[in-house]
Structure formats: C-alpha cells, structure tokens
Amino acid sequence: MRITLKQLMIFEAVARTGQVAKAAERVNLSAPATSMALSELEKQLDTRLFERIGNRLQLNSQGSLLLPLASDVLQRIERIEQAFTPNNHELAGMLNVSASSTIGNFLLAKAAVAFSQQHVQTQVDLAIDNTRKVIRDVAEFRAELGFIEGYCLDSRIAVLPWHQDCLKVFCHPAHPLAGSKVSPSELKGLSWVLREEGSGTREYFVDAANRLDLQPEARFCFPTPDAIKQAVKQGAGLGVLSELTLDKELARRELALVEVEGLALERPFYLIRHKSHSLTPLAQAFIDFCGKFLKLKTVADKGSH
C-alpha cells in the first residue's frame, strides 16, 4: 500500500470543506482529479471515509480516525519544509480559524485581513458561528484555532483565556428602565431578546442571571447581534450583548443601558485548540499578531483597565 502526501492533503481538504469542489480549489486541482484521488485513497484503505449528507461530505467513524493522523503527518512535513527553506522566517500557507459570532465579527475579521496584508503569502480562512459549532470544528480538525465566548468541557480541547469582555443589558430609550440601576426582582416577568441556543453570550448571561434567581424568559431568539438590536429597538424586550457590539447605537442614543445590581457580566473569551496538535508557526504568529493588533485586554490586565 502506497498512500501519498497528495492523497492525504486532498482527504484533509475535503474533510475541512465538506465538498470536493471547494477542496479542489484549496489543493489547486480539478474537481475530477480530486475526486479520483479520494476514491483511490479509500480503495487503498479498503474503507469509506465519508458519508454524503445533502450536498456535503461528512466524515464517518473511519474518516474521523484518519483525520488527526493525516493532519499530524502533513504538519510534520510542513515543519520539515520550513526548516530547510531559505528565508524560512517568511510565513506562508492557509490557516483555518473558527470563531463565535461576537469575536469573529467584531475582532477577528479585521485582524485576519490585516494579518494577510502584512504576510502576503498567507490566508486566514475564518468561519463564524456559535460557540458550540466552533468547539466541534476544532474537535473534528476543521479548524486549527478556535475562539469562543462560552464554556468548553470537551476533554480533547485545550482551553486558554484570551481576552476579557463585558456583557451589557440594554433596552429601547423609551423603556421605563432605560438608564436605571435596578434590582433583579424588578426584572422578573419581563421579556428578553437573546441569542440562540449554543451561543456563548446566551449561556454566560443565563448562568449569571439564574444565580440571582432572575430566570430570564426569552421571547425572541436571534443568531446575530444586529437582529437582537433591531428587535429591542422595536420594543420587543430587554437585550444582552457584548459591549463590543453596542458602541454605535449607544452613542446615537438608539439604545440605552440598564444596570442590574449584583449581575456579574464580565467574562473571558477563550482560545481553543486540539490537544493532539502543537501550534504551527503560522498559528502562533496569528495569535501573537491579534494580541498586538487588537490591543487585547486579558484577565491578567483586568486590574489596570
């Protein structure tokens, strides 16, 4: 049996993208050639590696077994090439990153562009979803790095605090509680507009609220901050989002804050990676770049801000 690096590259690309056509673009081959190489790999291993679900290919149990082994081989080859390449200080290649909504839209999107502009031979492929999906991307090797707003209890994942954030409760400026400091009991029975299930923002807020026996009732749930802000502007209820998302609306007085006594809404953002993988130089460079470019506030910095 002669498995080639090309086959492993194609297999990993299909596993990460879920489609032969997209994988073909990544490895600079035609779709038929990519499909043929994948079929040949499955023939050599005498097993199917994917199941077709709709228009996507999803790893089956055998594919999930192969992916970390293939990724490890490809990372080792990349390190060998970097070690023996002239000017090996120059970064190059594709970095797959997955981030939850607030982090992705308000921090990493601009950081990814700036990083690729500075390191012109690199590309940061940024996927944005909720915390639950980001954890799954890292666990299943679709992303080398993940950035999340919620908790991660997956034993396969290494979790590090990355940035200190704060959630804010807000409402329509004409709401009776606009600009007020209130007790948790004054919020009992009020309607809330929250993020969807699986969101780190929702998870963190609900946990903090329930510690005060607030039991917030979600009247509306939306997957994006913009949808939540729009609903609150229409008087749908109280909202909760990261302070990163509210600056413009507060400055224009389109929304107003509500301070809740005893409600602790400072939270960390986390950087996650799979424990079986060491960070590639490209991934480490991106982490370091984000810290400087975004002027991140870490948990250790909390007392100085």
Coordinates of all heavy atoms in Angstrom, one line a residue, residues 1 3 11 37-51 60-66:
M1 N 0.9 -1.2 0.0 CA 0.0 0.0 0.0 C 0.9 1.2 0.0 O 1.8 1.3 0.8 CB -0.9 0.0 1.2 CG -1.8 1.2 1.3 SD -3.1 1.0 2.6 CE -2.2 0.7 4.1
I3 N 0.3 5.1 0.3 CA -0.5 6.3 0.5 C 0.4 7.5 0.2 O 1.5 7.5 0.8 CB -1.1 6.4 1.9 CG1 -2.0 5.2 2.1 CG2 -1.8 7.7 2.1 CD1 -2.5 5.1 3.6
F11 N -7.6 14.5 1.1 CA -8.5 14.0 2.2 C -8.8 15.1 3.2 O -9.9 15.3 3.6 CB -7.9 12.7 2.8 CG -8.6 12.4 4.1 CD1 -9.9 11.9 4.1 CD2 -7.9 12.6 5.3 CE1 -10.5 11.5 5.4 CE2 -8.5 12.3 6.5 CZ -9.8 11.8 6.5
A37 N -8.5 11.0 -6.7 CA -7.5 10.8 -5.6 C -8.2 10.3 -4.3 O -7.6 9.4 -3.6 CB -6.7 12.0 -5.4
L38 N -9.3 10.9 -4.0 CA -10.0 10.5 -2.8 C -10.5 9.1 -2.9 O -10.4 8.2 -2.0 CB -11.2 11.4 -2.5 CG -12.0 11.2 -1.2 CD1 -11.1 11.3 0.0 CD2 -13.2 12.1 -1.1
S39 N -11.0 8.7 -4.1 CA -11.5 7.4 -4.3 C -10.4 6.3 -4.2 O -10.6 5.3 -3.7 CB -12.2 7.3 -5.7 OG -13.4 8.1 -5.7
E40 N -9.2 6.7 -4.7 CA -8.1 5.8 -4.7 C -7.6 5.6 -3.3 O -7.2 4.5 -2.9 CB -6.9 6.4 -5.5 CG -5.7 5.5 -5.7 CD -6.0 4.2 -6.4 OE1 -7.0 4.1 -7.2 OE2 -5.3 3.2 -6.1
L41 N -7.6 6.7 -2.5 CA -7.3 6.5 -1.1 C -8.2 5.6 -0.3 O -7.8 4.7 0.4 CB -7.3 7.9 -0.4 CG -7.0 7.9 1.1 CD1 -5.6 7.4 1.4 CD2 -7.2 9.3 1.7
E42 N -9.5 5.7 -0.6 CA -10.5 4.8 0.1 C -10.3 3.4 -0.4 O -10.4 2.4 0.4 CB -11.9 5.3 -0.3 CG -12.3 6.6 0.4 CD -13.7 7.0 0.2 OE1 -14.2 6.9 -1.0 OE2 -14.4 7.6 1.1
K43 N -9.9 3.2 -1.7 CA -9.7 1.9 -2.2 C -8.4 1.3 -1.6 O -8.4 0.1 -1.2 CB -9.5 2.0 -3.7 CG -9.2 0.6 -4.4 CD -9.1 0.8 -5.9 CE -8.9 -0.5 -6.6 NZ -8.7 -0.3 -8.1
Q44 N -7.4 2.1 -1.4 CA -6.2 1.6 -0.8 C -6.4 1.2 0.7 O -5.8 0.2 1.2 CB -5.0 2.6 -0.8 CG -4.5 2.7 -2.2 CD -3.4 3.9 -2.3 OE1 -3.8 5.0 -2.2 NE2 -2.2 3.5 -2.5
L45 N -7.2 1.9 1.4 CA -7.5 1.7 2.8 C -8.7 0.7 3.0 O -8.9 0.2 4.1 CB -7.9 3.0 3.5 CG -6.8 4.0 3.6 CD1 -7.3 5.3 4.2 CD2 -5.6 3.5 4.4
D46 N -9.3 0.3 1.9 CA -10.4 -0.6 1.8 C -11.5 -0.2 2.8 O -12.1 -1.0 3.6 CB -9.9 -2.0 2.2 CG -11.0 -3.1 1.9 OD1 -11.8 -2.8 1.0 OD2 -11.0 -4.1 2.6
T47 N -11.9 1.1 2.8 CA -12.9 1.6 3.6 C -13.5 2.9 3.1 O -12.7 3.7 2.4 CB -12.5 1.8 5.1 OG1 -13.6 2.2 5.9 CG2 -11.4 2.9 5.2
R48 N -14.7 3.2 3.3 CA -15.2 4.6 3.0 C -14.9 5.5 4.2 O -14.8 5.1 5.3 CB -16.8 4.5 2.9 CG -17.2 3.7 1.7 CD -18.7 3.5 1.7 NE -19.5 4.8 1.8 CZ -20.8 4.8 1.9 NH1 -21.5 3.7 2.0 NH2 -21.4 6.0 1.9
L49 N -14.6 6.7 3.8 CA -14.2 7.7 4.8 C -15.2 8.8 5.0 O -15.1 9.5 6.0 CB -12.9 8.4 4.3 CG -11.7 7.4 4.1 CD1 -10.5 8.2 3.4 CD2 -11.2 6.9 5.4
F50 N -16.2 8.9 4.1 CA -17.2 10.0 4.2 C -18.6 9.4 3.9 O -18.7 8.4 3.3 CB -16.9 11.1 3.1 CG -15.7 11.9 3.3 CD1 -14.5 11.4 2.7 CD2 -15.6 13.0 4.1 CE1 -13.3 12.1 2.9 CE2 -14.5 13.7 4.3 CZ -13.3 13.3 3.7
E51 N -19.6 10.1 4.5 CA -21.0 9.8 4.1 C -21.5 11.1 3.5 O -21.2 12.2 4.0 CB -21.8 9.5 5.4 CG -21.3 8.2 6.1 CD -21.3 7.0 5.4 OE1 -22.2 6.9 4.4 OE2 -20.5 6.1 5.6
N60 N -17.2 9.9 8.4 CA -17.7 8.8 9.2 C -16.7 8.4 10.2 O -15.7 9.1 10.4 CB -18.2 7.6 8.3 CG -17.0 7.0 7.5 OD1 -15.8 7.2 7.8 ND2 -17.3 6.3 6.4
S61 N -17.0 7.3 10.9 CA -16.1 6.9 12.0 C -14.7 6.6 11.5 O -13.7 7.0 12.2 CB -16.6 5.7 12.8 OG -16.8 4.6 11.9
Q62 N -14.5 6.0 10.3 CA -13.2 5.7 9.8 C -12.5 7.0 9.4 O -11.3 7.1 9.6 CB -13.3 4.7 8.6 CG -13.8 3.4 9.0 CD -12.8 2.6 9.9 OE1 -12.9 2.7 11.1 NE2 -11.9 2.0 9.3
G63 N -13.2 7.9 8.8 CA -12.7 9.2 8.4 C -12.2 10.0 9.6 O -11.1 10.6 9.6
S64 N -13.0 9.9 10.7 CA -12.7 10.7 11.9 C -11.4 10.1 12.5 O -10.6 10.8 13.2 CB -13.8 10.6 12.9 OG -14.9 11.3 12.4
L65 N -11.2 8.8 12.4 CA -10.0 8.1 12.9 C -8.8 8.5 12.1 O -7.7 8.8 12.6 CB -10.2 6.6 12.8 CG -9.0 5.7 13.2 CD1 -8.6 5.9 14.7 CD2 -9.2 4.3 12.9
L66 N -8.9 8.7 10.7 CA -7.8 9.0 9.9 C -7.4 10.5 10.0 O -6.2 10.8 9.9 CB -8.2 8.7 8.4 CG -7.1 9.1 7.4 CD1 -5.8 8.4 7.6 CD2 -7.6 8.8 6.0

